[in-house]
Amino acid sequence: MAKGYRPVRRDQPFLLPPDMREWLPEDHPVWLVIEAVGDHLDTSALHALRHTGGPGTAGYDPDMLVSLLMWAYANGVTSSRRIEQRCVTDVAFRVVCGGNFPDHVTVARFRAALPGVVERLFAEVLVLCAKLGMGKLGVVTLDGTKIAASASKAANRTEEALRKLAAETVAAHAATDAAEDELFGEGRRGDEVPADAVNPATRDERIARALAELEAERQAGEAGREAQARAYLGAVESGEPPAGPPPAAAAVAAAQLRLDRAVAEQQAKVAAWQAQRAAEDAAGIKRKPGGRKPFPPQAHAGVAKARAALERAKARAAEAERKAAAKTEPGPVRNITDPDSRLMPLRGGGFLQGYNPQNVVSEDTLIIATELTQDTTDTEWFEPMLRAAEDAAALITAHHPAPPSGGTAASEDRDLEHAAVGAGTGPHGHGEATVAMAARLATPEGITAYRQRGHIAETPHGHLKHNMRFRQLSVRGKPKASAEWRFACTVHNLVKAITTGHLTHQALTALAS
């Protein structure tokens, strides 16, 4: 049993040793982050953004700032103000800063410069992981995940609402201008600031931008539908219509063309029969029995069938117009806080205001290629991400101590394995690529590879969102948001190298020798 308590001396001159190397144990991961950034990553692009040698206070070392951001993101701290607080209260953050205490403005400005350099930083970390023996390419997976934007769903507006909001804003500005002219005199506000100090990222501009995007999207959609309808009608006129149902915009016109053609063909048959009879009568040719007269167009079964198809097409078009007029749900929307973000449907129901990042992940769960997208589905990004994965595989192979073998790509479609084992094509069409993929998945090797998809693809997402607590972007606009997402993936790869034991002081020393 203890005889008493240890004294609590808060007036002691030094609560921590003066040498920061004694503040944390040698095996603390923050030392690895500092060493990796300072000695093994090419950060010249970051240094090129800084200006030294002029008057004023000395700036902060970019290597220190990027190490600070990496350590912060690895520990779920993305707010610049929270990072500033941790630099004072958290020992590991203080070690990264090396006695400096950058404020939140410095952190925010440094992060704002990431869009121009983060791709190179991502590649540098991937190369470092490859040199450490990571980047197993036996099986790679492509998967998307939803990430929240720095915006609320409540800030979404339809085109009609945006027009109304823009009009209200113009009226409010006009009223304010009139009141200020009366108070300060025409042309002056009384609190003028230099023109270069005005922030262009105003709410009015976001509203105008969101409205312009919706108008452009609507016009592009209408133009696309019109072009598709014209192409289909042209094919119908040429007698070679494509398989499948016609575009909605061309359904009635296509049915009318088919009816007109059926009528014309039958009328031509009747005219030809009548001309032949007249020629025979004039020549005194005795007619043989039979030779039934063709039905007139109004009595022909084919014409009646085409006319019924036209009536059905008109009925469907009328019903579609009725439903569109009675529709109460809002149409396409744009967010006035972050116009680049989109409403993303979630599995299980509901929507998220955010983006849809696409990640290609190696067998040892490194993110080897990534792209932040605005699309609600993943399908369109398969080919671009496949090309990015091939480039990443070449980069890894060039720096890997034992070049990894090429492998299989597994996409997200969970029905493909069942389709391959069963009919061979499933509900995804009968295209050549689909049939070839299904045939490959039907083999034991293909099924074994595909069963790894869930673990490989979902592990980085779980690490980013659960362990790193990176569930929402902290910046707005797709360029900045893309840079932040790629930076978070860069941190994921560096942390993965540490937690798996590939990134150690001994390994870094061996690389440097």
Side-chain angles (χ1 to χ4, degrees), residues 366-396:
L366 276 184
I367 299 174
I368 64 173
T370 187
E371 189 70 37
L372 190 78
T373 80
Q374 300 166 297
D375 297 323
T376 57
T377 58
D378 303 340
T379 309
E380 296 298 325
W381 284 92
F382 176 77
E383 188 171 349
M385 295 308 298
L386 184 60
R387 302 286 85 80
E390 290 173 343
D391 294 340
L395 186 66
I396 291 172

PDB file of all heavy atoms in Angstrom, residues 366-396:
ATOM      1  N   LEU A 366      -3.108  -0.855 -50.761  1.00  0.00           N
ATOM      2  CA  LEU A 366      -2.605   0.476 -51.082  1.00  0.00           C
ATOM      3  C   LEU A 366      -3.536   1.098 -52.124  1.00  0.00           C
ATOM      4  O   LEU A 366      -3.972   0.417 -53.054  1.00  0.00           O
ATOM      5  CB  LEU A 366      -1.199   0.407 -51.678  1.00  0.00           C
ATOM      6  CG  LEU A 366       0.006   0.334 -50.754  1.00  0.00           C
ATOM      7  CD1 LEU A 366       1.277   0.385 -51.595  1.00  0.00           C
ATOM      8  CD2 LEU A 366       0.010   1.451 -49.741  1.00  0.00           C
ATOM      9  N   ILE A 367      -3.828   2.358 -51.988  1.00  0.00           N
ATOM     10  CA  ILE A 367      -4.588   3.073 -53.011  1.00  0.00           C
ATOM     11  C   ILE A 367      -3.593   3.506 -54.084  1.00  0.00           C
ATOM     12  O   ILE A 367      -2.778   4.401 -53.859  1.00  0.00           O
ATOM     13  CB  ILE A 367      -5.320   4.283 -52.419  1.00  0.00           C
ATOM     14  CG1 ILE A 367      -6.311   3.834 -51.342  1.00  0.00           C
ATOM     15  CG2 ILE A 367      -6.044   5.060 -53.514  1.00  0.00           C
ATOM     16  CD1 ILE A 367      -6.983   4.977 -50.602  1.00  0.00           C
ATOM     17  N   ILE A 368      -3.649   2.854 -55.239  1.00  0.00           N
ATOM     18  CA  ILE A 368      -2.649   3.131 -56.271  1.00  0.00           C
ATOM     19  C   ILE A 368      -3.146   4.156 -57.290  1.00  0.00           C
ATOM     20  O   ILE A 368      -2.343   4.719 -58.040  1.00  0.00           O
ATOM     21  CB  ILE A 368      -2.207   1.835 -56.983  1.00  0.00           C
ATOM     22  CG1 ILE A 368      -3.377   1.196 -57.741  1.00  0.00           C
ATOM     23  CG2 ILE A 368      -1.628   0.851 -55.976  1.00  0.00           C
ATOM     24  CD1 ILE A 368      -2.958   0.007 -58.593  1.00  0.00           C
ATOM     25  N   ALA A 369      -4.441   4.396 -57.344  1.00  0.00           N
ATOM     26  CA  ALA A 369      -4.993   5.427 -58.227  1.00  0.00           C
ATOM     27  C   ALA A 369      -6.312   5.898 -57.627  1.00  0.00           C
ATOM     28  O   ALA A 369      -7.064   5.094 -57.070  1.00  0.00           O
ATOM     29  CB  ALA A 369      -5.216   4.890 -59.639  1.00  0.00           C
ATOM     30  N   THR A 370      -6.579   7.183 -57.735  1.00  0.00           N
ATOM     31  CA  THR A 370      -7.808   7.724 -57.155  1.00  0.00           C
ATOM     32  C   THR A 370      -8.267   8.934 -57.954  1.00  0.00           C
ATOM     33  O   THR A 370      -7.454   9.625 -58.573  1.00  0.00           O
ATOM     34  CB  THR A 370      -7.594   8.112 -55.678  1.00  0.00           C
ATOM     35  OG1 THR A 370      -8.837   8.493 -55.089  1.00  0.00           O
ATOM     36  CG2 THR A 370      -6.602   9.247 -55.545  1.00  0.00           C
ATOM     37  N   GLU A 371      -9.570   9.172 -57.940  1.00  0.00           N
ATOM     38  CA  GLU A 371     -10.157  10.313 -58.635  1.00  0.00           C
ATOM     39  C   GLU A 371     -11.457  10.676 -57.933  1.00  0.00           C
ATOM     40  O   GLU A 371     -12.299   9.814 -57.683  1.00  0.00           O
ATOM     41  CB  GLU A 371     -10.424   9.977 -60.101  1.00  0.00           C
ATOM     42  CG  GLU A 371     -10.834  11.169 -60.933  1.00  0.00           C
ATOM     43  CD  GLU A 371      -9.695  12.150 -61.149  1.00  0.00           C
ATOM     44  OE1 GLU A 371      -8.544  11.696 -61.310  1.00  0.00           O
ATOM     45  OE2 GLU A 371      -9.961  13.376 -61.153  1.00  0.00           O
ATOM     46  N   LEU A 372     -11.611  11.954 -57.613  1.00  0.00           N
ATOM     47  CA  LEU A 372     -12.851  12.443 -57.011  1.00  0.00           C
ATOM     48  C   LEU A 372     -13.803  12.828 -58.135  1.00  0.00           C
ATOM     49  O   LEU A 372     -13.476  13.673 -58.965  1.00  0.00           O
ATOM     50  CB  LEU A 372     -12.575  13.645 -56.111  1.00  0.00           C
ATOM     51  CG  LEU A 372     -13.746  14.111 -55.247  1.00  0.00           C
ATOM     52  CD1 LEU A 372     -13.909  13.206 -54.037  1.00  0.00           C
ATOM     53  CD2 LEU A 372     -13.547  15.554 -54.794  1.00  0.00           C
ATOM     54  N   THR A 373     -14.993  12.203 -58.177  1.00  0.00           N
ATOM     55  CA  THR A 373     -15.926  12.455 -59.262  1.00  0.00           C
ATOM     56  C   THR A 373     -17.231  13.031 -58.735  1.00  0.00           C
ATOM     57  O   THR A 373     -17.546  12.929 -57.551  1.00  0.00           O
ATOM     58  CB  THR A 373     -16.235  11.160 -60.040  1.00  0.00           C
ATOM     59  OG1 THR A 373     -17.202  10.373 -59.322  1.00  0.00           O
ATOM     60  CG2 THR A 373     -14.983  10.338 -60.249  1.00  0.00           C
ATOM     61  N   GLN A 374     -17.999  13.613 -59.655  1.00  0.00           N
ATOM     62  CA  GLN A 374     -19.323  14.141 -59.338  1.00  0.00           C
ATOM     63  C   GLN A 374     -20.428  13.182 -59.767  1.00  0.00           C
ATOM     64  O   GLN A 374     -21.599  13.456 -59.528  1.00  0.00           O
ATOM     65  CB  GLN A 374     -19.530  15.484 -60.051  1.00  0.00           C
ATOM     66  CG  GLN A 374     -18.526  16.554 -59.682  1.00  0.00           C
ATOM     67  CD  GLN A 374     -18.571  17.721 -60.636  1.00  0.00           C
ATOM     68  OE1 GLN A 374     -18.285  17.575 -61.829  1.00  0.00           O
ATOM     69  NE2 GLN A 374     -18.949  18.892 -60.150  1.00  0.00           N
ATOM     70  N   ASP A 375     -20.067  12.072 -60.388  1.00  0.00           N
ATOM     71  CA  ASP A 375     -21.065  11.136 -60.908  1.00  0.00           C
ATOM     72  C   ASP A 375     -21.645  10.288 -59.784  1.00  0.00           C
ATOM     73  O   ASP A 375     -20.923   9.838 -58.893  1.00  0.00           O
ATOM     74  CB  ASP A 375     -20.443  10.225 -61.969  1.00  0.00           C
ATOM     75  CG  ASP A 375     -19.959  11.009 -63.172  1.00  0.00           C
ATOM     76  OD1 ASP A 375     -20.639  11.979 -63.542  1.00  0.00           O
ATOM     77  OD2 ASP A 375     -18.912  10.655 -63.730  1.00  0.00           O
ATOM     78  N   THR A 376     -22.949  10.033 -59.874  1.00  0.00           N
ATOM     79  CA  THR A 376     -23.608   9.244 -58.837  1.00  0.00           C
ATOM     80  C   THR A 376     -23.363   7.758 -59.011  1.00  0.00           C
ATOM     81  O   THR A 376     -23.573   6.976 -58.078  1.00  0.00           O
ATOM     82  CB  THR A 376     -25.122   9.505 -58.846  1.00  0.00           C
ATOM     83  OG1 THR A 376     -25.644   9.216 -60.147  1.00  0.00           O
ATOM     84  CG2 THR A 376     -25.407  10.968 -58.511  1.00  0.00           C
ATOM     85  N   THR A 377     -22.921   7.321 -60.186  1.00  0.00           N
ATOM     86  CA  THR A 377     -22.616   5.915 -60.423  1.00  0.00           C
ATOM     87  C   THR A 377     -21.150   5.763 -60.800  1.00  0.00           C
ATOM     88  O   THR A 377     -20.479   6.728 -61.160  1.00  0.00           O
ATOM     89  CB  THR A 377     -23.501   5.344 -61.546  1.00  0.00           C
ATOM     90  OG1 THR A 377     -23.290   6.106 -62.742  1.00  0.00           O
ATOM     91  CG2 THR A 377     -24.978   5.414 -61.163  1.00  0.00           C
ATOM     92  N   ASP A 378     -20.677   4.510 -60.749  1.00  0.00           N
ATOM     93  CA  ASP A 378     -19.257   4.243 -60.975  1.00  0.00           C
ATOM     94  C   ASP A 378     -18.941   3.816 -62.410  1.00  0.00           C
ATOM     95  O   ASP A 378     -17.783   3.813 -62.807  1.00  0.00           O
ATOM     96  CB  ASP A 378     -18.770   3.125 -60.031  1.00  0.00           C
ATOM     97  CG  ASP A 378     -19.013   3.447 -58.576  1.00  0.00           C
ATOM     98  OD1 ASP A 378     -19.197   4.632 -58.261  1.00  0.00           O
ATOM     99  OD2 ASP A 378     -19.029   2.511 -57.749  1.00  0.00           O
ATOM    100  N   THR A 379     -19.963   3.446 -63.173  1.00  0.00           N
ATOM    101  CA  THR A 379     -19.749   2.749 -64.436  1.00  0.00           C
ATOM    102  C   THR A 379     -18.847   3.515 -65.401  1.00  0.00           C
ATOM    103  O   THR A 379     -17.924   2.948 -65.992  1.00  0.00           O
ATOM    104  CB  THR A 379     -21.100   2.475 -65.118  1.00  0.00           C
ATOM    105  OG1 THR A 379     -21.970   1.847 -64.175  1.00  0.00           O
ATOM    106  CG2 THR A 379     -20.918   1.588 -66.327  1.00  0.00           C
ATOM    107  N   GLU A 380     -19.105   4.819 -65.548  1.00  0.00           N
ATOM    108  CA  GLU A 380     -18.379   5.598 -66.555  1.00  0.00           C
ATOM    109  C   GLU A 380     -16.894   5.726 -66.238  1.00  0.00           C
ATOM    110  O   GLU A 380     -16.109   6.105 -67.114  1.00  0.00           O
ATOM    111  CB  GLU A 380     -18.998   6.992 -66.682  1.00  0.00           C
ATOM    112  CG  GLU A 380     -20.430   6.999 -67.191  1.00  0.00           C
ATOM    113  CD  GLU A 380     -20.537   6.428 -68.595  1.00  0.00           C
ATOM    114  OE1 GLU A 380     -19.605   6.646 -69.393  1.00  0.00           O
ATOM    115  OE2 GLU A 380     -21.541   5.762 -68.885  1.00  0.00           O
ATOM    116  N   TRP A 381     -16.505   5.425 -65.006  1.00  0.00           N
ATOM    117  CA  TRP A 381     -15.113   5.644 -64.605  1.00  0.00           C
ATOM    118  C   TRP A 381     -14.263   4.383 -64.676  1.00  0.00           C
ATOM    119  O   TRP A 381     -13.084   4.417 -64.318  1.00  0.00           O
ATOM    120  CB  TRP A 381     -15.066   6.232 -63.197  1.00  0.00           C
ATOM    121  CG  TRP A 381     -15.442   7.671 -63.217  1.00  0.00           C
ATOM    122  CD1 TRP A 381     -16.677   8.209 -63.036  1.00  0.00           C
ATOM    123  CD2 TRP A 381     -14.570   8.769 -63.498  1.00  0.00           C
ATOM    124  NE1 TRP A 381     -16.642   9.567 -63.182  1.00  0.00           N
ATOM    125  CE2 TRP A 381     -15.355   9.945 -63.466  1.00  0.00           C
ATOM    126  CE3 TRP A 381     -13.217   8.885 -63.766  1.00  0.00           C
ATOM    127  CZ2 TRP A 381     -14.817  11.201 -63.695  1.00  0.00           C
ATOM    128  CZ3 TRP A 381     -12.676  10.140 -63.999  1.00  0.00           C
ATOM    129  CH2 TRP A 381     -13.473  11.271 -63.957  1.00  0.00           C
ATOM    130  N   PHE A 382     -14.853   3.279 -65.149  1.00  0.00           N
ATOM    131  CA  PHE A 382     -14.061   2.045 -65.195  1.00  0.00           C
ATOM    132  C   PHE A 382     -12.853   2.192 -66.110  1.00  0.00           C
ATOM    133  O   PHE A 382     -11.720   1.921 -65.714  1.00  0.00           O
ATOM    134  CB  PHE A 382     -14.928   0.870 -65.653  1.00  0.00           C
ATOM    135  CG  PHE A 382     -14.142  -0.408 -65.807  1.00  0.00           C
ATOM    136  CD1 PHE A 382     -13.771  -1.139 -64.693  1.00  0.00           C
ATOM    137  CD2 PHE A 382     -13.744  -0.851 -67.059  1.00  0.00           C
ATOM    138  CE1 PHE A 382     -13.032  -2.302 -64.823  1.00  0.00           C
ATOM    139  CE2 PHE A 382     -13.000  -2.009 -67.200  1.00  0.00           C
ATOM    140  CZ  PHE A 382     -12.645  -2.751 -66.080  1.00  0.00           C
ATOM    141  N   GLU A 383     -13.081   2.648 -67.337  1.00  0.00           N
ATOM    142  CA  GLU A 383     -11.964   2.737 -68.285  1.00  0.00           C
ATOM    143  C   GLU A 383     -10.927   3.779 -67.875  1.00  0.00           C
ATOM    144  O   GLU A 383      -9.719   3.490 -67.900  1.00  0.00           O
ATOM    145  CB  GLU A 383     -12.499   3.008 -69.690  1.00  0.00           C
ATOM    146  CG  GLU A 383     -11.417   2.921 -70.753  1.00  0.00           C
ATOM    147  CD  GLU A 383     -11.980   2.975 -72.160  1.00  0.00           C
ATOM    148  OE1 GLU A 383     -13.215   2.876 -72.310  1.00  0.00           O
ATOM    149  OE2 GLU A 383     -11.185   3.120 -73.111  1.00  0.00           O
ATOM    150  N   PRO A 384     -11.319   5.016 -67.492  1.00  0.00           N
ATOM    151  CA  PRO A 384     -10.287   5.977 -67.057  1.00  0.00           C
ATOM    152  C   PRO A 384      -9.480   5.471 -65.860  1.00  0.00           C
ATOM    153  O   PRO A 384      -8.255   5.666 -65.809  1.00  0.00           O
ATOM    154  CB  PRO A 384     -11.099   7.228 -66.694  1.00  0.00           C
ATOM    155  CG  PRO A 384     -12.355   7.108 -67.469  1.00  0.00           C
ATOM    156  CD  PRO A 384     -12.657   5.649 -67.537  1.00  0.00           C
ATOM    157  N   MET A 385     -10.147   4.844 -64.909  1.00  0.00           N
ATOM    158  CA  MET A 385      -9.423   4.355 -63.737  1.00  0.00           C
ATOM    159  C   MET A 385      -8.544   3.162 -64.089  1.00  0.00           C
ATOM    160  O   MET A 385      -7.486   2.957 -63.474  1.00  0.00           O
ATOM    161  CB  MET A 385     -10.405   3.980 -62.626  1.00  0.00           C
ATOM    162  CG  MET A 385     -11.193   5.147 -62.062  1.00  0.00           C
ATOM    163  SD  MET A 385     -10.174   6.543 -61.538  1.00  0.00           S
ATOM    164  CE  MET A 385      -9.174   5.795 -60.247  1.00  0.00           C
ATOM    165  N   LEU A 386      -8.959   2.367 -65.063  1.00  0.00           N
ATOM    166  CA  LEU A 386      -8.116   1.261 -65.508  1.00  0.00           C
ATOM    167  C   LEU A 386      -6.821   1.786 -66.108  1.00  0.00           C
ATOM    168  O   LEU A 386      -5.732   1.252 -65.849  1.00  0.00           O
ATOM    169  CB  LEU A 386      -8.873   0.418 -66.531  1.00  0.00           C
ATOM    170  CG  LEU A 386      -8.159  -0.848 -67.025  1.00  0.00           C
ATOM    171  CD1 LEU A 386      -7.874  -1.796 -65.879  1.00  0.00           C
ATOM    172  CD2 LEU A 386      -8.986  -1.543 -68.092  1.00  0.00           C
ATOM    173  N   ARG A 387      -6.928   2.871 -66.905  1.00  0.00           N
ATOM    174  CA  ARG A 387      -5.710   3.476 -67.478  1.00  0.00           C
ATOM    175  C   ARG A 387      -4.817   4.037 -66.363  1.00  0.00           C
ATOM    176  O   ARG A 387      -3.591   3.889 -66.396  1.00  0.00           O
ATOM    177  CB  ARG A 387      -6.090   4.613 -68.439  1.00  0.00           C
ATOM    178  CG  ARG A 387      -6.993   4.222 -69.597  1.00  0.00           C
ATOM    179  CD  ARG A 387      -6.233   3.437 -70.670  1.00  0.00           C
ATOM    180  NE  ARG A 387      -6.177   2.019 -70.367  1.00  0.00           N
ATOM    181  CZ  ARG A 387      -7.172   1.177 -70.600  1.00  0.00           C
ATOM    182  NH1 ARG A 387      -8.291   1.601 -71.125  1.00  0.00           N
ATOM    183  NH2 ARG A 387      -7.034  -0.107 -70.312  1.00  0.00           N
ATOM    184  N   ALA A 388      -5.434   4.693 -65.360  1.00  0.00           N
ATOM    185  CA  ALA A 388      -4.655   5.230 -64.239  1.00  0.00           C
ATOM    186  C   ALA A 388      -3.989   4.108 -63.456  1.00  0.00           C
ATOM    187  O   ALA A 388      -2.850   4.235 -62.991  1.00  0.00           O
ATOM    188  CB  ALA A 388      -5.556   6.061 -63.325  1.00  0.00           C
ATOM    189  N   ALA A 389      -4.694   2.985 -63.310  1.00  0.00           N
ATOM    190  CA  ALA A 389      -4.128   1.841 -62.586  1.00  0.00           C
ATOM    191  C   ALA A 389      -2.938   1.258 -63.346  1.00  0.00           C
ATOM    192  O   ALA A 389      -1.946   0.837 -62.738  1.00  0.00           O
ATOM    193  CB  ALA A 389      -5.202   0.773 -62.378  1.00  0.00           C
ATOM    194  N   GLU A 390      -3.023   1.232 -64.666  1.00  0.00           N
ATOM    195  CA  GLU A 390      -1.905   0.722 -65.460  1.00  0.00           C
ATOM    196  C   GLU A 390      -0.674   1.613 -65.293  1.00  0.00           C
ATOM    197  O   GLU A 390       0.455   1.113 -65.179  1.00  0.00           O
ATOM    198  CB  GLU A 390      -2.311   0.637 -66.930  1.00  0.00           C
ATOM    199  CG  GLU A 390      -3.337  -0.455 -67.214  1.00  0.00           C
ATOM    200  CD  GLU A 390      -3.853  -0.408 -68.645  1.00  0.00           C
ATOM    201  OE1 GLU A 390      -3.661   0.641 -69.299  1.00  0.00           O
ATOM    202  OE2 GLU A 390      -4.438  -1.407 -69.095  1.00  0.00           O
ATOM    203  N   ASP A 391      -0.884   2.928 -65.272  1.00  0.00           N
ATOM    204  CA  ASP A 391       0.237   3.850 -65.063  1.00  0.00           C
ATOM    205  C   ASP A 391       0.839   3.649 -63.669  1.00  0.00           C
ATOM    206  O   ASP A 391       2.072   3.666 -63.507  1.00  0.00           O
ATOM    207  CB  ASP A 391      -0.230   5.300 -65.222  1.00  0.00           C
ATOM    208  CG  ASP A 391      -0.660   5.611 -66.650  1.00  0.00           C
ATOM    209  OD1 ASP A 391      -0.254   4.877 -67.566  1.00  0.00           O
ATOM    210  OD2 ASP A 391      -1.401   6.590 -66.828  1.00  0.00           O
ATOM    211  N   ALA A 392      -0.031   3.482 -62.668  1.00  0.00           N
ATOM    212  CA  ALA A 392       0.454   3.269 -61.304  1.00  0.00           C
ATOM    213  C   ALA A 392       1.209   1.942 -61.193  1.00  0.00           C
ATOM    214  O   ALA A 392       2.240   1.858 -60.515  1.00  0.00           O
ATOM    215  CB  ALA A 392      -0.712   3.297 -60.321  1.00  0.00           C
ATOM    216  N   ALA A 393       0.706   0.911 -61.871  1.00  0.00           N
ATOM    217  CA  ALA A 393       1.381  -0.392 -61.838  1.00  0.00           C
ATOM    218  C   ALA A 393       2.773  -0.295 -62.451  1.00  0.00           C
ATOM    219  O   ALA A 393       3.738  -0.893 -61.952  1.00  0.00           O
ATOM    220  CB  ALA A 393       0.540  -1.433 -62.568  1.00  0.00           C
ATOM    221  N   ALA A 394       2.897   0.476 -63.535  1.00  0.00           N
ATOM    222  CA  ALA A 394       4.219   0.659 -64.148  1.00  0.00           C
ATOM    223  C   ALA A 394       5.157   1.396 -63.197  1.00  0.00           C
ATOM    224  O   ALA A 394       6.353   1.063 -63.097  1.00  0.00           O
ATOM    225  CB  ALA A 394       4.071   1.431 -65.461  1.00  0.00           C
ATOM    226  N   LEU A 395       4.635   2.398 -62.476  1.00  0.00           N
ATOM    227  CA  LEU A 395       5.448   3.145 -61.513  1.00  0.00           C
ATOM    228  C   LEU A 395       5.901   2.238 -60.375  1.00  0.00           C
ATOM    229  O   LEU A 395       7.074   2.275 -59.959  1.00  0.00           O
ATOM    230  CB  LEU A 395       4.630   4.317 -60.972  1.00  0.00           C
ATOM    231  CG  LEU A 395       5.355   5.299 -60.045  1.00  0.00           C
ATOM    232  CD1 LEU A 395       6.439   6.049 -60.805  1.00  0.00           C
ATOM    233  CD2 LEU A 395       4.370   6.280 -59.432  1.00  0.00           C
ATOM    234  N   ILE A 396       4.997   1.417 -59.865  1.00  0.00           N
ATOM    235  CA  ILE A 396       5.344   0.504 -58.767  1.00  0.00           C
ATOM    236  C   ILE A 396       6.370  -0.516 -59.230  1.00  0.00           C
ATOM    237  O   ILE A 396       7.363  -0.788 -58.543  1.00  0.00           O
ATOM    238  CB  ILE A 396       4.069  -0.189 -58.249  1.00  0.00           C
ATOM    239  CG1 ILE A 396       3.166   0.825 -57.535  1.00  0.00           C
ATOM    240  CG2 ILE A 396       4.424  -1.335 -57.297  1.00  0.00           C
ATOM    241  CD1 ILE A 396       1.807   0.276 -57.173  1.00  0.00           C
TER     242      ILE A 396
END
